[in-house]
Each structure stands twice: as structure tokens, then as C-alpha cells.
């Protein structure tokens, strides 16, 4: 059976990668300029990107699907653990928390928080972006348990919160200006490891 992806395209103009990029960029620009998730519209995105609404709907089922792809692009891919040690992998992963490859993220991500709390669909959107990062970190912790580096009774979900929470609050809110962000990942991981390493 031929999959949809493998099926030959019907006659017509081929999908333009340039149009895809323009639509994503337009979405991120509007969000960075202050448009809320509720207020941003497909019409506004199309106008900024210089395409028709039909071009967007041929690529995405709706606004939420487009927002998901745009925000995923904004965040980039999580680091891949090296597998050499739990400590090394956690420092790399925690160091990426709150860090973004796109400078617009500093304006966009904090503005998403109220929407995530108020709207179930936006919460699901947020989780779809965050969960793959948690999954990578979760596997590092499980590997540490299997290899005897970490306690066998470790509460993995609480540990995830312990090691990611400080970086999130510091990078989003600058909660404590006396903390050095460059050394914070190492300090947080070492403090948490002191309590969860196998004895």
C-alpha cells in the first residue's frame, strides 16, 4: 500500500519551501511583536508572509497546527545525550532549558504562560513542545538507574522538576540576579545528584 507521503503529487505547482519558511517567519514575527495566540489570525499571517490563506490551509490543518510548527522551530531540537555519564548528560540537557536558538523566543515564550494556564488547547500545544525534551531527560535518569549510578527508588518525575525548574524561573524571570546563569546548570545538577546518586 502506498503511503500519502509516497504517493505522487497531483498536477499543479509544487509545494514551495520558501513559502513554508515565509509563513513560519511571519507567525514568529507577529508573536514577537505582541500578537497573542488568541488574537493572531491566519489572515494576518498570510498578509505578513505575502501568501494567500489557501496556501496556509494547504500546509496546515489550522492555526493551532501552524503555531505548533512555528514554536517547535523557535525552540530547536533538544541536545542529544552523549551517554558517557548521567552528570554530563544532565548538565547538557539542563543547560538547554530556557535557551532558544532564536532571539524572538525571549519575547514570545514568557507571553505564552498566561495562555497555557487559561486554555486547554494552548496547554496541549505547550506540552507537545516540552514533552519530547522531558522524554530525553527521563531516559537519561532511567539509564542511570539501570547502570547503578542513581538510586533505584528514584522518583523520576519529581527529579525532572527539581533540575529544570531553577533554570526555567531564572531564565524567564531573572528570579535571582545574583545567580550566574553560565554556572547554574552545573550547580543545579550537582546539588540534585548529591541526593539521588546510588549509595
Amino acid at each position: 500500500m502506498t503511503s500519502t507521503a509516497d504517493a505522487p503529487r497531483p498536477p499543479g505547482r509544487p509545494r514551495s519551501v520558501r513559502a513554508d519558511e515565509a509563513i513560519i517567519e511571519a507567525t514568529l514575527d507577529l508573536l514577537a511583536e505582541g500578537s497573542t495566540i488568541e488574537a493572531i489570525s491566519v489572515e494576518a499571517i498570510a498578509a505578513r508572509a505575502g501568501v494567500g490563506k489557501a496556501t496556509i490551509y494547504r500546509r496546515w490543518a489550522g492555526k493551532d497546527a501552524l503555531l505548533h510548527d512555528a514554536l517547535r522551530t523557535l525552540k530547536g531540537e533538544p541536545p542529544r545525550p552523549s551517554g558517557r555519564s548521567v552528570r554530563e548528560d544532565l548538565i547538557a540537557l539542563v543547560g538547554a532549558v530556557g535557551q532558544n536558538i532564536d532571539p524572538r523566543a525571549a519575547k514570545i515564550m514568557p507571553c505564552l504562560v498566561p495562555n497555557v494556564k487559561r486554555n486547554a488547547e494552548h496547554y496541549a500545544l505547550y506540552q507537545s513542545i516540552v514533552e519530547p525534551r522531558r522524554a530525553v531527560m527521563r531516559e537519561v535518569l532511567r539509564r542511570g538507574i539501570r547502570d547503578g549510578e542513581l538510586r533505584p527508588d528514584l522518583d523520576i518525575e519529581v527529579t525532572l522538576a527539581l533540575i529544570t525548574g531553577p533554570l526555567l524561573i531564572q531564565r524567564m524571570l531573572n528570579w535571582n540576579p545574583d545567580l550566574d546563569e553560565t554556572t547554574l546548570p552545573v550547580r543545579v545538577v550537582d546539588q540534585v545528584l548529591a541526593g539521588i546518586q546510588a549509595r
Side-chain angles (χ1 to χ4, degrees):
M1 181 176 177
T2 303
S3 69
T4 303
D6 295 332
R9 289 184 60 87
R13 290 185 299 176
R15 175 168 172 160
S16 167
V17 174
R18 184 173 298 177
D20 292 0
E21 293 174 349
I23 292 164
I24 292 290
E25 288 298 304
T27 303
L28 294 176
D29 282 343
L30 288 169
L31 290 171
E33 290 165 10
S35 294
T36 65
I37 287 182
E38 289 99 338
I40 195 171
S41 66
V42 171
E43 290 83 356
I45 295 168
R48 174 63 67 92
V51 301
K53 285 169 56 179
T55 301
I56 293 178
Y57 285 117
R58 279 197 297 270
R59 290 160 167 77
W60 290 276
K63 186 176 81 171
D64 285 346
L66 170 54
L67 285 170
H68 175 273
D69 283 358
L71 293 173
R72 188 176 58 186
T73 300
L74 187 72
K75 292 293 292 180
E77 293 296 322
R80 293 290 107 187
S82 68
R84 286 189 288 267
S85 74
V86 168
R87 180 179 182 272
E88 182 178 316
D89 288 344
L90 288 180
I91 288 171
L93 292 168
V94 171
V97 171
Q99 295 279 58
N100 304 285
I101 60 173
D102 191 315
R104 289 171 294 189
K107 296 179 179 179
I108 294 172
M109 299 309 290
C111 297
L112 295 182
V113 175
N115 295 292
V116 166
K117 296 291 288 183
R118 290 196 303 261
N119 185 296
E121 290 182 359
H122 297 161
Y123 177 76
L125 172 63
Y126 169 75
Q127 289 297 329
S128 72
I129 296 167
V130 173
E131 175 54 28
R133 289 167 162 72
R134 278 199 302 261
V136 175
M137 200 174 296
R138 200 177 280 125
E139 182 51 37
V140 169
L141 295 173
R142 287 176 178 149
R143 190 191 76 223
I145 294 171
R146 289 194 304 268
D147 294 348
E149 289 188 66
L150 304 179
R151 288 166 32 186
D153 63 344
L154 178 66
D155 188 324
I156 288 177
E157 300 307 315
V158 170
T159 304
L160 291 177
L162 286 171
I163 58 181
T164 58
L167 271 295
L168 277 174
I169 194 171
Q170 187 64 24
R171 285 178 171 161
M172 290 185 69
L173 301 176
N174 194 26
W175 182 77
N176 184 345
D178 293 330
L179 286 174
D180 181 356
E181 277 193 27
T182 61
T183 61
L184 191 57
V186 173
R187 293 166 66 187
V188 168
V189 168
D190 284 345
Q191 287 286 327
V192 173
L193 281 178
I196 68 174
Q197 283 177 319
R199 303 298 183 188

